[in-house]
Amino acid sequence: MTQRGRAGARPGSRHSGGRGREAAPEPRTPAAPRIDLAAAKARVRAVIEPVVAAAGYDLEDVNLSRAGRRHVVRVLVDADGGINLDGVAVVSREISVALDAADERGDEVLAGEYQLEVSSPGVDRPLTLPRHWRRNVGRLVAVTVAGRGLTGRLTAADDDGVVLDGQQLSYEQLGPGKVQIEFKRLDEAEFDDDDDDDDLDDDDEDGEGEER
């Protein structure tokens, strides 16, 4: 979900000079002011984190970059059970309102125009916090344990640690985890569809299937 905030002033219109028909040069559009991105990121996070929490979500990450004259603010939000497009749209509007209100108060969170992009994390997001692990119970996960790579099924997770293929591990033992894409499950789903087709064919042969 993308929103734009604080449109900049429009460049001046053309005007004629005092002599002859020679037109005065059009004023240049001022460049976007340079800011400390790390400091600005901290200011943005301070403003929007309470808004995201009030909406019932977790603020997973804030990224700030430049795109021409604009700053691009990318925000990742998540929740137990995930977040749908409607939820993203709602929290995006709330974040935009909060940023504009902070600017109107003179807090100078961001100088100039900005573009806001709000989304939920993808499966490539590293699992670093207990809530990340908890939200991926049942999935295949790769992680480094005591310098050794381990891939297994995540069967449980709480505030103290996880259970990976029956092995109980504390978070202090784990490096960042990564969810593994399981193509085998897709193949199994296709086989299940084939079985349904076979059942339908059998019904047709018995005279009990749907007429076509």
Side-chain angles (χ1 to χ4, degrees):
M1 177 62 61
T2 301
Q3 296 200 13
R4 298 176 186 269
R6 292 199 303 278
R10 297 179 180 175
S13 59
R14 294 183 179 178
H15 58 281
S16 300
R19 296 182 179 178
R21 297 188 179 184
E22 183 179 358
E26 184 176 348
R28 294 182 179 180
T29 302
R34 294 190 175 276
I35 63 173
D36 183 338
L37 292 181
K41 176 180 175 179
R43 292 195 298 268
V44 169
R45 189 176 192 103
V47 170
I48 71 174
E49 193 157 24
V51 175
V52 174
Y57 303 116
D58 294 312
L59 178 59
E60 295 294 349
D61 195 17
V62 176
N63 183 268
L64 191 62
S65 61
R66 292 285 293 273
R69 296 185 63 254
R70 288 193 183 91
H71 294 100
V72 180
V73 183
R74 293 185 174 91
V75 178
L76 293 182
V77 297
D78 204 1
D80 290 348
I83 177 172
N84 58 27
L85 290 177
D86 290 339
V88 169
V90 170
V91 75
S92 179
R93 287 193 295 270
E94 294 294 329
I95 289 173
S96 181
V97 168
L99 289 174
D100 288 346
D103 180 64
E104 291 172 1
R105 292 194 303 266
D107 293 345
E108 287 296 329
V109 178
L110 287 169
E113 300 176 54
Y114 68 87
Q115 177 176 309
L116 175 64
E117 299 178 3
V118 179
S119 62
S120 58
V123 294
D124 57 343
R125 187 266 313 273
L127 310 181
T128 57
L129 298 175
R131 65 171 180 261
H132 300 161
W133 291 90
R134 186 179 68 247
R135 290 168 183 167
N136 286 281
V137 168
R139 296 194 175 194
L140 193 66
V141 175
V143 65
T144 300
V145 181
R148 177 173 59 92
L150 177 64
T151 299
R153 183 74 56 192
L154 179 63
T155 56
D158 56 23
D159 291 338
D160 299 318
V162 305
V163 177
L164 199 62
D165 276 351
Q167 183 178 359
Q168 190 160 2
L169 302 164
S170 67
Y171 291 116
E172 288 77 10
Q173 296 175 274
L174 302 176
K178 185 175 181 181
V179 174
Q180 303 298 289
I181 304 298
E182 298 183 77
F183 295 103
K184 183 178 179 181
R185 288 193 170 188
L186 298 178
D187 295 338
E188 290 172 351
E190 292 177 0
F191 292 152
D192 290 342
D193 292 340
D194 292 340
D195 292 341
D196 292 341
D197 292 340
D198 292 340
D199 293 341
L200 180 58
D201 292 339
D202 293 340
D203 290 341
D204 289 342
E205 290 174 2
D206 295 337
E208 297 177 358
E210 180 181 355
E211 293 184 4
R212 297 175 181 266

